[in-house]
Amino acid sequence: MLHDIATIRRTETRSISPENPDGARGGGGRATDGTGAESARDLGPGWKVSPSVDVAPGATYDLAGITGPGRITHLWITTHTDHWRTLVLRATWDDADEPAIEVPYGDFFCSGWGRFAQVSSQVVAANPNGGFNSYWPMPFRRNAHLTLENTSTVPARVYFQVTYELGDVGDDAAYLHAQWRRSNPLPDGETHVLLEGVEGRGHYAGTYLAWGANAPGWWGEGEIKFWIDDDTDHPTICGTGTEDYFGGAWNFDVPGQGYTAFSTPYLGMPQVIRPDGLYDSQQRFGMYRWHLADPITFRTGLPRVDIQALGWRSGGRYLPLHDDIASTAFFYLDRPTAARPPAPTHDAMEVHLGSGAAPRAS
């Protein structure tokens, strides 16, 4: 799915940032006003006059508007950790009426808990301290529109760069979709749904889960299931356990170390947040699984993808749990729209701040 680096491109590379907001050829470094203007007052234009933007409370900022055909090849972005679960990233392809990507900013970059953890994967890298990178290929035929909505009551300063190439993307190029859902808490006897009612041809490409354990004991005995094409009563793909799906085993528990974080090109559990004896009363985890080498293909749709939350009770019996599960599902589809859940709201995204501190405007 990623480009062969040895292949000569018959494309033109462009990049959108606050210093070149429309990506025009020769359009960079011309700003005369911006968030860096005061710092550059002795140097003048061309000297980091506009490195970032301020997104006002309740406002939506246009990160990029691109006329195609083409494909976005890299997105780098950063803002203060306070805003990781108050900003919503959206992407709309080819004048569609609805976004294909609609995900909290942090969750899109495997950082749903508002705290940094290193992520070193093939398509997402989260680097110190909050440098977020996406290498998901994002092809489009007519145009692409990326936005960032600030659902909070304070402004958010955002630094970003969207790199893309213009040129034919081919008849088989599919559109990237990303959907976010949260069960908080998961209702009694129910499973957490990652996708539902997707129609079309494509392939499922990846999962990120921000999982908060609301009970003591092991929480990951549940299976993930994929209903494919005409599946109704039973799924075609059924896993063997949560930690198994994310490439681990035996509760991610290395004897003497307990839960052990890891990050690899295709899968990982890069984040383990342990109770601190005060405000962090529950264990929380961040896990990703990219189906790049092993995409889950479908011809007519994905009726449903879900995951169970199971622990243990006495007598070796499973215990259905009521955990806090937020999922981001990535998939490629032959059309720019798909059945999707309600848009993320501020309250639905919120990570409760144990210290009682309010987000700050930075």
Side-chain angles (χ1 to χ4, degrees):
M1 184 170 60
L2 299 179
H3 284 309
D4 179 357
I5 195 64
T7 300
I8 293 177
R9 310 271 208 280
R10 302 189 185 278
T11 58
E12 298 180 22
T13 300
R14 298 284 190 274
S15 185
I16 289 174
S17 72
E19 290 280 14
N20 189 352
D22 61 4
R25 183 192 294 273
R30 295 187 175 190
T32 58
D33 193 20
T35 58
E38 178 65 17
S39 299
R41 63 187 181 276
D42 296 333
L43 301 174
W47 289 91
K48 202 173 181 178
V49 173
S50 182
S52 59
V53 297
D54 290 325
V55 186
T60 295
Y61 180 81
D62 288 338
L63 287 175
I66 308 169
T67 300
R71 94 177 55 226
I72 296 170
T73 55
H74 179 226
L75 170 60
W76 170 87
I77 193 166
T78 190
T79 188
H80 192 274
T81 55
D82 288 346
H83 309 305
W84 292 5
R85 264 288 182 87
T86 61
L87 297 172
V88 179
L89 176 67
R90 293 185 174 91
T92 304
W93 314 124
D94 292 355
D95 294 317
D97 294 332
E98 298 179 340
I101 296 172
E102 189 173 47
V103 178
Y105 167 94
D107 295 67
F108 188 83
F109 298 97
C110 301
S111 302
W113 291 117
R115 298 188 188 180
F116 175 75
Q118 177 69 44
V119 179
S120 303
S121 80
Q122 186 85 352
V123 287
V124 172
N127 303 324
N129 183 25
F132 289 165
N133 299 266
S134 165
Y135 288 95
W136 286 106
M138 304 182 197
F140 51 93
R141 289 175 172 81
R142 292 191 301 277
N143 51 62
H145 186 202
L146 272 63
T147 66
L148 204 59
E149 179 191 4
N150 182 0
T151 69
S152 77
T153 57
V154 297
R157 178 159 291 185
V158 181
Y159 301 76
F160 69 93
Q161 190 154 12
V162 181
T163 302
Y164 58 99
E165 55 187 28
L166 298 175
D168 183 41
V169 297
D171 294 339
D172 292 334
Y175 299 96
L176 178 66
H177 292 250
Q179 296 186 1
W180 183 84
R181 289 172 170 82
R182 187 179 190 183
S183 301
N184 183 28
L186 185 65
D188 189 47
E190 295 188 13
T191 60
H192 174 77
V193 175
L194 286 78
L195 280 182
E196 196 166 37
V198 172
E199 296 181 352
R201 188 181 186 94
H203 58 270
Y204 188 89
T207 306
Y208 167 72
L209 292 185
W211 190 299
N214 286 333
W218 171 234
W219 45 271
E221 205 61 37
E223 299 170 337
I224 189 168
K225 296 180 172 67
F226 292 82
W227 280 258
I228 299 174
D229 295 333
D230 298 328
D231 290 345
T232 54
D233 297 335
H234 303 286
T236 292
I237 295 177
C238 182
T240 61
T242 303
E243 83 274 42
D244 307 340
Y245 172 70
F246 290 99
W250 302 107
N251 305 9
F252 303 117
D253 177 7
V254 176
Q257 297 179 212
Y259 290 115
T260 301
F262 65 102
S263 184
T264 76
Y266 299 131
L267 37 75
M269 183 178 68
Q271 189 160 52
V272 178
I273 301 175
R274 292 177 169 84
D276 66 356
L278 187 60
Y279 296 121
D280 284 337
S281 60
Q282 310 302 119
Q283 296 187 109
R284 288 176 284 175
F285 307 87
M287 302 168 284
Y288 65 88
R289 168 76 150 89
W290 307 142
H291 294 274
L292 303 181
D294 58 341
I296 297 175
T297 59
F298 51 90
R299 295 169 299 168
T300 60
L302 279 174
R304 184 180 177 92
V305 180
D306 69 7
I307 192 167
Q308 304 162 337
L310 289 177
W312 292 103
R313 61 175 36 154
S314 63
R317 297 173 293 159
Y318 293 132
L319 173 66
L321 299 173
H322 306 93
D323 285 350
D324 177 359
I325 306 172
S327 62
T328 302
F330 298 84
F331 59 102
Y332 283 91
L333 195 62
D334 63 358
R335 57 203 69 183
T337 60
R340 62 193 184 100
T345 64
H346 181 275
D347 288 350
M349 294 186 293
E350 186 175 20
V351 174
H352 300 292
L353 303 173
S355 64
R360 59 184 179 180
S362 60

